[in-house]
Amino acid sequence: MRTWPALEVGPLPNPDLFQAALLDYGVSAIDETTEPDAWRVFFNTEADRNTAAQALSQQFPDTVIRSLDVPDEDWVAKSQAGLRAVRIGDIVVAPPWDVPDANVVADVIVIRPSMGFGTGHHATTRLCLAALQDLDLRGCRVIDVGTGSGLLAIAASHLGAADVVGIDEDADAFHAAQENASLNQAAAVTLRHVDVRRVSLEPFDVVVANLTGALLRDVAPRLHDLTTAGGYLVVSGFMAAEERDVMSAYSKFTVAAWAEEDEWLCVTFRRQ
């Protein structure tokens, strides 16, 4: 039987901060255990698990972190079975088993949950969806950097963007985005399995990047060049504690909008 490399962690005095730290590693999924403020974190590879264990033990010395291998008993499907449709503004994000009926006055996007990629249930995804709805995307060229499930790219197409590209360097994310694009055939999205730091692309009117604080700092010059003069850049995936470092990396932009949910931030910049 296949096993999944995992960590049991807890107690967690600051779960949001710990979750932000996890985003720098190859996390597949996070399951809450029966113990309060304790998680079981699954990783794509044993190497990812071991690297995370070493780094997180130093970063969170008061948290017990234990490595283990968990038998595959379809835990991914079990953990996702309880997910239900969620509404953000005029958009409803729904798993295939909870698609609302035709009487719902909203734009419905169907996303099949897989391996922890965006389903609309995380604060940063909701913040980005709200930010995109605050912009006029009609006729715009939009790129979703680190597209994950493809949700934000699909949403941009639904919101009237003329040309939408979603890119991700992670193969699992790319395949998840392809599957979700097939579930939303009314959306016109081009998906590419590439790294934003190495691919050559023309600038876009709107760039959205729901990444991590560390990665946002690393790719700031690249995201600047990807944004047309007068265009917008929407960034999220970082917490209030990281705000100063992330914002300083985007000093060439002006802030057009700012939002926060559960200590997670989303900033819409405008390039001069």
Side-chain angles (χ1 to χ4, degrees), residues 87 92 99-108:
R87 183 165 184 158
V92 170
V99 178
D101 60 40
N103 295 324
V104 174
V105 183
D107 195 354
V108 178

Side-chain angles (χ1 to χ4, degrees), residues 12-255:
L12 297 169
N14 191 329
D16 284 339
L17 186 60
F18 194 88
Q19 184 175 0
L22 283 173
L23 294 176
D24 289 330
Y25 307 99
V27 174
S28 296
I30 299 173
D31 275 354
E32 295 183 1
T33 68
T34 55
E35 298 296 324
D37 296 322
W39 293 347
R40 181 173 285 182
V41 184
F42 296 87
F43 293 83
N44 295 325
T45 67
E46 184 177 350
D48 288 335
R49 189 266 310 277
N50 295 342
T51 300
Q54 182 177 4
L56 294 170
S57 295
Q58 297 176 353
Q59 190 173 351
F60 301 91
D62 297 329
T63 298
V64 176
I65 299 176
R66 184 172 71 90
S67 298
L68 71 162
D69 295 307
V70 180
D72 186 352
E73 297 177 345
D74 203 17
W75 58 265
V76 174
K78 291 178 181 177
S79 67
Q80 295 166 348
L83 291 179
R84 292 293 178 261
V86 58
R87 183 165 184 158
I88 304 95
D90 292 329
I91 292 177
V92 170
V93 184
W97 54 83
D98 193 35
V99 178
D101 60 40
N103 295 324
V104 174
V105 183
D107 195 354
V108 178
I109 298 175
V110 180
I111 297 294
R112 185 182 300 280
S114 62
M115 304 300 285
F117 301 119
T119 61
H121 290 78
H122 192 275
T124 60
T125 310
R126 293 193 295 269
L127 289 167
C128 287
L129 282 170
L132 288 176
Q133 291 177 78
D134 286 338
L135 298 174
D136 185 359
L137 301 187
R138 291 173 297 178
C140 290
R141 297 184 67 244
V142 179
I143 185 169
D144 179 16
V145 178
T147 195
S149 67
L151 170 56
L152 298 179
I154 293 167
S157 180
H158 279 232
L159 292 168
D163 180 20
V164 183
V165 177
I167 65 173
D168 207 302
E169 63 175 322
D170 185 284
D172 290 331
F174 175 70
H175 293 309
Q178 285 183 312
E179 180 179 8
N180 288 319
S182 70
L183 294 174
N184 298 272
Q185 295 187 5
V189 176
T190 300
L191 297 169
R192 297 185 62 184
H193 181 202
V194 294
D195 185 340
V196 67
R197 291 164 291 195
R198 296 174 177 84
V199 65
S200 177
L201 294 165
E202 294 295 321
F204 290 79
D205 303 307
V206 177
V207 178
V208 57
N210 186 13
L211 305 172
T212 67
L215 189 52
L216 285 171
R217 294 192 298 272
D218 182 43
V219 300
R222 186 73 186 104
L223 296 184
H224 177 273
D225 293 342
L226 270 180
T227 310
T228 59
Y232 291 92
L233 167 64
V234 178
V235 300
S236 191
F238 65 104
M239 302 192 73
E242 305 172 278
E243 180 179 6
R244 177 178 296 180
D245 289 341
V246 172
M247 296 294 285
S248 66
Y250 294 87
S251 58
K252 293 182 179 180
F253 290 85
T254 59
V255 176

